[in-house]
Amino acid sequence: MTVAHTPGGPAARSRRPSGDGRWAAILLAVPVLGLVVFYLWPLIRTAILSVSTGNPFLGYQITGFDNWVQVLTGDELPRALLNTLVYAAVVLLGVPLAMIAAVLLHQRGLRFRGLFRVLYFLPVVTMPAAVAMVWRYIYNGDFGLLNEVLATMGLPTTAWVADPRTALYAVAVVGIWMGLGTNLIILAAGLEAIPDSVTEAAMLDGAGPVRRFASITAPLLSPSVFLVSVLSVIGSLQMFDLLFVMLGRTNPALADSKTIVYLFYEEAFVRSDRPLGAVIALVTLVVTLIVTAIQFRLQRRWVHYA
């Protein structure tokens, strides 16, 4: 007796996995190729360039770790690294500010909630150079708006971005302001995921707003806070544009306010020493990985996943 195989029978189904596998390989090949071409290969080239000497016209030759020794034993890298970590620590203060703003905007019955969120998010979609130029005028020591307000209140004024004692912190305030919108949107999404029944149960038990925030909102929102913290630190470690525009290359405070990415810009593009710039780029990568790994290690103590 002969059994006819229908198009949807076992024989047809047995052939589908191989076809699906080919399509899966094709679809995966595109992102993998992009990863290799735009990330892995440049990283390998940077590593090779960091142990080489030469110039773009005559080429580069691998000579050893002299570039690494020069950068790691120099005076500029430790200062730039310290400035970068200080900047990142100050920008992290924007996370609790965004958390408070998100909780306030999440209140029931709040009118124009969407408008407020849009206003908070405007700095995110604004060009950093434009933001830096505006804040540079606000911080101006002669006619800046901030000094005018402080003078009318009888408070001391200063040249905020020209004083080595305040320049880095002034730039960090702008970084907090620019990142507030992104942090607010992420935290608002985290608040939306908190069940209303939990909050209502706490209200029935007599918990006030502060107690509900400390015992319910903050623990349940901790995964979103952790995500915002990681993104803020990574962005801070890569900060360059604000410092470049707000301070300028002739600013007397620049020498004491350089970040590690600004140091990379000076070596690779101003002094045209690409091998030293490659070393600084790899150091930046290593520092970012270490700081992020520390954050992931510490999150076990305070992040609560439902």
Side-chain angles (χ1 to χ4, degrees):
M1 179 177 177
T2 303
V3 179
H5 294 284
T6 61
R13 287 195 297 269
S14 64
R15 292 193 298 267
R16 287 175 186 170
S18 60
D20 294 342
R22 286 194 295 269
W23 276 110
I26 293 174
L27 294 176
L28 287 175
V30 177
V32 170
L33 182 62
L35 182 66
V36 172
V37 173
F38 296 107
Y39 290 93
L40 184 58
W41 176 242
L43 179 61
I44 295 174
R45 287 288 300 170
T46 302
I48 296 175
L49 189 60
S50 68
V51 293
S52 305
T53 57
N55 57 68
F57 302 100
L58 300 178
Y60 297 92
Q61 297 81 32
I62 297 178
T63 55
F65 293 93
D66 294 340
N67 297 324
W68 285 86
V69 174
Q70 181 178 346
V71 171
L72 296 179
T73 59
D75 297 332
E76 289 189 299
L77 181 63
R79 180 183 298 179
L81 181 58
L82 178 61
N83 290 337
T84 304
L85 295 177
V86 170
Y87 177 87
V90 175
V91 170
L92 269 181
L93 297 178
V95 175
L97 294 178
M99 189 175 179
I100 295 173
V103 171
L104 293 177
L105 291 178
H106 190 68
Q107 300 299 315
R108 293 180 178 178
L110 179 66
R111 300 182 61 184
F112 308 112
R113 179 188 301 178
L115 176 62
F116 288 130
R117 289 180 176 176
V118 170
L119 293 177
Y120 275 112
F121 198 74
L122 279 179
V124 180
V125 298
T126 306
M127 292 182 60
V131 171
M133 287 298 297
V134 172
W135 278 92
R136 183 175 180 176
Y137 283 108
I138 293 176
Y139 282 138
N140 189 277
D142 298 323
F143 51 83
L145 178 62
L146 179 59
N147 278 348
E148 292 291 337
V149 173
L150 294 176
T152 57
M153 299 173 61
L155 298 176
T157 61
T158 185
W160 297 97
V161 292
D163 189 341
R165 297 171 298 178
T166 60
L168 186 63
Y169 299 100
V171 177
V173 169
V174 182
I176 293 175
W177 181 73
M178 288 190 63
L180 189 61
T182 301
N183 298 344
L184 181 64
I185 295 300
I186 296 175
L187 294 176
L191 288 172
E192 294 290 344
I194 298 177
D196 294 335
S197 58
V198 179
T199 306
E200 293 172 356
M203 293 177 63
L204 292 176
D205 290 339
V210 178
R211 181 61 182 275
R212 293 199 304 270
F213 177 81
S215 302
I216 297 176
T217 304
L220 293 180
L221 195 60
S222 58
S224 299
V225 175
F226 172 64
L227 173 61
V228 165
S229 302
V230 171
L231 294 178
S232 298
V233 170
I234 292 176
S236 300
L237 295 177
Q238 299 173 353
M239 194 276 294
F240 167 77
D241 43 13
L242 287 180
L243 193 70
F244 180 80
V245 178
M246 291 184 64
L247 268 64
R249 294 180 57 185
T250 60
N251 194 311
L254 180 61
D256 297 316
S257 306
K258 293 178 185 177
T259 60
I260 191 168
V261 178
Y262 195 97
L263 186 61
F264 161 77
Y265 159 75
E266 282 192 335
E267 292 292 349
F269 296 98
V270 177
R271 303 188 182 113
S272 297
D273 196 333
R274 295 185 179 180
L276 290 185
V279 174
I280 298 173
L282 292 176
V283 171
T284 305
L285 174 62
V286 172
V287 171
T288 303
L289 292 176
I290 292 175
V291 173
T292 305
I294 292 175
Q295 287 183 284
F296 272 88
R297 182 71 177 180
L298 295 178
Q299 61 97 15
R300 302 177 183 177
R301 301 182 180 181
W302 63 275
V303 179
H304 306 277
Y305 294 99

